[in-house]
Amino acid sequence: DAKTTQPTSMDCAEGRAANLPCNHSTISGNEYVYWYRQIHSQGPQYIIHGLKNNETNEMASLIITEDRKSSTLILPHATLRDTAVYYCIVSLRMDTGRRALTFGSGTRLQVQP
Amino acid sequence: EPEVTQTPSHQVTQMGQEVILRCVPISNHLYFYWYRQILGQKVEFLVSFYNNEISEKSEIFDDQFSVERPDGSNFTLKIRSTKLEDSAMYFCASRPGGPGQPQHFGDGTRLSIL
């Protein structure tokens, strides 16, 4: 799987948009970008994923650059409950489901009141 | 919204004992996974399971570990002869069929080996 690079930590003011970047310059054409977050020691929570188009759901938006070498997760109105470690993961599109997710160190987002 | 459930939330066991961690994946999912996270470290993949057999395992998943889907709803991880270094959070995940579908995780079992 392609390797990802994320900032170690970021701060965001409550109510403002949080923009979390991720570099995945070695991504291949059949690899998806997934975003998860982990609050304290809870299980990783799925946020959003995409292949090449931008995606939006009730939690966040995912912007993928045209060359697919980087992406940005956007939390439009961050709340204190969004304080967590955010993981950007690139994984093969495999229908067999064999591909495990490889978690890095992620970005620790601290939302400030 | 359906979710992956894991029991127990916390398991305390004496070193050398066997433990079974239980998971109920989301009902229409086809692929099942176990991960672990030692305190302060990254989430690590252990094993994936599909069509009643292991499809991939990491180097962590040695003969001490086994998985089973004993019925249509449960997915278990057994650790034989536990060691102190098995102390960790263990997360179960599942995903449906279809390309690119994401894995969904349970809230984990905290395993403490004394």
Side-chain angles (χ1 to χ4, degrees):
Chain A
D1 292 338
K3 185 179 170 63
T4 62
T5 305
Q6 299 178 252
T8 304
S9 63
M10 294 182 64
D11 285 347
C12 176
E14 189 177 17
R16 305 297 293 268
N19 297 286
L20 290 88
C22 179
N23 285 322
H24 31 79
S25 58
T26 59
I27 193 170
S28 63
N30 58 353
E31 289 183 310
Y32 279 78
V33 180
Y34 297 87
W35 282 85
Y36 284 80
R37 71 182 182 184
Q38 190 174 28
I39 299 172
H40 299 299
S41 291
Q42 295 177 21
Q45 179 188 21
Y46 165 73
I47 301 172
I48 199 166
H49 74 287
L51 185 61
K52 43 185 155 181
N53 298 324
N54 298 337
E55 302 288 342
T56 295
N57 63 21
E58 65 279 2
M59 287 183 69
S61 295
L62 174 61
I63 308 298
I64 302 175
T65 57
E66 195 167 334
D67 63 7
R68 302 187 69 239
K69 293 181 185 236
S70 66
S71 61
T72 300
L73 177 74
I74 301 172
L75 307 178
H77 305 286
T79 71
L80 298 178
R81 286 176 296 180
D82 292 321
T83 293
V85 178
Y86 287 77
Y87 300 101
C88 168
I89 301 170
V90 172
S91 186
L92 279 176
R93 169 187 173 168
M94 288 185 69
D95 293 351
T96 60
R98 274 201 284 270
R99 183 57 60 186
L101 297 176
T102 302
F103 286 81
S105 300
T107 296
R108 184 171 298 278
L109 176 69
Q110 181 71 50
V111 180
Q112 307 284 356
Chain B
E1 184 167 327
E3 55 185 31
V4 176
T5 57
Q6 292 186 243
T7 55
S9 56
H10 191 189
Q11 174 80 46
V12 181
T13 302
Q14 291 290 328
M15 185 173 59
Q17 297 292 108
E18 174 183 287
V19 294
I20 297 176
L21 309 183
R22 302 181 192 278
C23 170
V24 179
I26 296 173
S27 65
N28 61 343
H29 285 192
L30 301 178
Y31 306 95
F32 313 110
Y33 308 82
W34 284 100
Y35 292 79
R36 79 172 186 190
Q37 186 175 31
I38 295 170
L39 185 64
Q41 298 186 23
K42 298 177 185 178
V43 177
E44 302 173 287
F45 167 71
L46 292 178
V47 66
S48 59
F49 193 86
Y50 170 71
N51 201 24
N52 283 321
E53 60 183 22
I54 290 173
S55 46
E56 186 182 23
K57 59 183 181 179
S58 72
E59 62 275 8
I60 302 169
F61 194 89
D62 59 20
D63 292 343
Q64 182 194 11
F65 294 89
S66 61
V67 290
E68 194 177 33
R69 187 155 162 81
D71 52 42
S73 59
N74 291 285
F75 180 50
T76 62
L77 175 69
K78 182 189 291 186
I79 310 175
R80 287 180 283 274
S81 189
T82 51
K83 301 179 281 218
L84 293 177
E85 54 265 38
D86 294 327
S87 295
M89 286 291 293
Y90 287 81
F91 297 111
C92 173
S94 68
R95 60 162 281 219
Q101 289 299 309
Q103 296 178 28
H104 295 268
F105 287 76
D107 272 337
T109 293
R110 179 176 299 283
L111 179 61
S112 300
I113 307 299
L114 304 180

